[in-house]
Amino acid sequence: MKIHILTLFPNMFAGPFDESIIKRARERGLVSISIYNLRHYTQDKHHVVDDYPYGGGRGMVLKPEPLFEAVESIRGDARIPVILLTPQGRLFSQQVAQELARYDEMILICGHYEGVDERVREHLVDDEISIGDYVLSGGEIAAMVVVDAVARQLPGVLGAEGAAGEDSHALGLLEYPQYTRPQLFRGWAVPEVLLSGNHAHIAKWRRQQSILRTLRRRPDLLERAELSPEEKGFLEEIKKGNQAR
Ligand code: 9D3
């Protein structure tokens, strides 16, 4: 997959894609990531990328010309999906990551002002994405989140780390508690069941811990989780216990 990122702050991208899983995926040619400085696509002497909003108001608006110029220079006659990172976009999720992973090329636009000229949305952009309900300073970190989540979905990117399918499956329930050596750390012991060597007991305990943790922290996830009849029974029992307390 070829990912093109348009930004006013290209230096922000030095680092995150040069480590670990994404680095290896790039080296193997599974994904290529190109960063473009929007300021290079201005026509005027002072390389102006923003301007005051018509009608007045606070903040600056990203001008349309550099965005159209940049996108058109990248895609030529090809039809490549253009995605704007914006707080007004549809909420990013594992499902959206899987959807984007089907493209073999995409262009991500990072805004960094109070907004972009509406004609960019109407005539250049195919999709708008937000990564969550909190305020960031710009779309750059959001673009990094999207690239990381999408790249993990590409065939061959995950090796020893596991398959992307496991990721999606894991989103049904939260992970169970994990321990490593030492067996006793500052007086805190590892749960006995994990030392028992009884793999059926361990598997059951881990599933129950996952269910418990999901109920406490992310009850919304439980509605879609796939539970065995026995696990549903366990869930009903703890819910009853919770009510009694
Ligand atoms: C005054 C209204 N603000 C909207 C909540 C304006 C505004 C704030 C922050 C406009 C842009 C930004 C910069 N954020 C992004 O560009 C952004 C973002 C985010 O702030 N949260 C979650 N996802 C994203 S994707 C891009």
Side-chain angles (χ1 to χ4, degrees):
M1 169 184 264
K2 249 170 131 171
I3 303 173
H4 308 272
I5 302 174
L6 313 190
T7 174
L8 288 167
F9 300 93
N11 293 336
M12 285 184 70
F13 292 88
F17 303 138
D18 303 327
E19 301 289 344
S20 184
I21 291 174
I22 306 299
K23 178 187 184 181
R24 202 182 56 206
R26 296 175 72 186
E27 286 169 353
R28 289 190 190 157
L30 300 171
V31 62
S32 85
I33 302 166
S34 311
I35 312 295
Y36 304 82
N37 187 343
L38 277 173
R39 215 169 278 283
H40 294 162
Y41 297 88
T42 50
Q43 309 273 15
D44 62 301
K45 187 170 93 184
H46 298 290
H47 305 290
V48 177
V49 292
D50 59 340
D51 207 341
Y52 300 97
Y54 275 119
R58 279 160 36 91
M60 301 294 274
V61 175
L62 205 49
K63 293 165 67 61
E65 298 97 323
L67 287 167
F68 275 82
E69 287 294 330
V71 166
E72 285 163 359
S73 84
I74 291 165
R75 74 173 168 198
D77 292 331
R79 233 210 57 80
I80 302 174
V82 177
I83 299 164
L84 176 67
L85 282 313
T86 163
Q88 298 160 61
R90 66 183 171 127
L91 196 56
F92 192 61
S93 64
Q94 191 66 18
Q95 197 190 311
V96 175
Q98 284 171 11
E99 199 183 302
L100 301 184
R102 293 202 291 263
Y103 295 136
D104 50 55
E105 205 162 344
M106 66 181 175
I107 300 174
L108 303 181
I109 300 178
C110 308
H112 213 103
Y113 290 92
E114 287 304 303
V116 303
D117 187 288
E118 189 64 18
R119 290 164 291 191
V120 170
R121 286 205 159 78
E122 286 178 343
H123 305 293
L124 191 67
V125 163
D126 300 296
D127 196 1
E128 299 182 34
I129 288 176
S130 159
I131 62 161
D133 296 334
Y134 35 79
V135 181
L136 300 173
S137 308
E140 284 77 11
I141 292 174
M144 295 174 206
V145 168
V146 168
V147 168
D148 189 77
V150 170
R152 295 175 62 81
Q153 298 295 314
L154 302 176
V157 167
L158 294 187
E161 291 82 2
E166 286 173 30
D167 279 359
S168 316
H169 194 70
L171 291 175
L173 285 180
L174 300 184
E175 297 276 280
Y176 49 79
Q178 306 234 56
Y179 297 85
T180 185
R181 288 188 289 186
Q183 203 184 119
L184 193 66
F185 171 68
R186 298 191 177 180
W188 301 305
V190 171
E192 203 61 46
V193 60
L194 298 178
L195 312 173
S196 69
N198 185 329
H199 295 290
H201 273 171
I202 292 170
K204 180 175 171 181
W205 180 84
R206 285 178 166 167
R207 281 291 287 184
Q208 292 187 340
Q209 290 293 313
S210 283
I211 293 167
L212 232 124
R213 186 167 275 192
T214 310
L215 177 67
R216 301 252 152 88
R217 301 185 185 187
R218 292 291 308 277
D220 57 303
L221 293 180
L222 273 177
E223 286 155 35
R224 275 172 295 147
E226 288 176 28
L227 303 182
S228 72
E230 192 196 342
E231 288 168 347
K232 281 181 184 154
F234 172 76
L235 178 57
E236 290 315 310
E237 284 310 308
I238 26 177
K239 280 188 183 168
K240 275 185 211 154
N242 283 349
Q243 282 165 357
R245 255 177 268 143

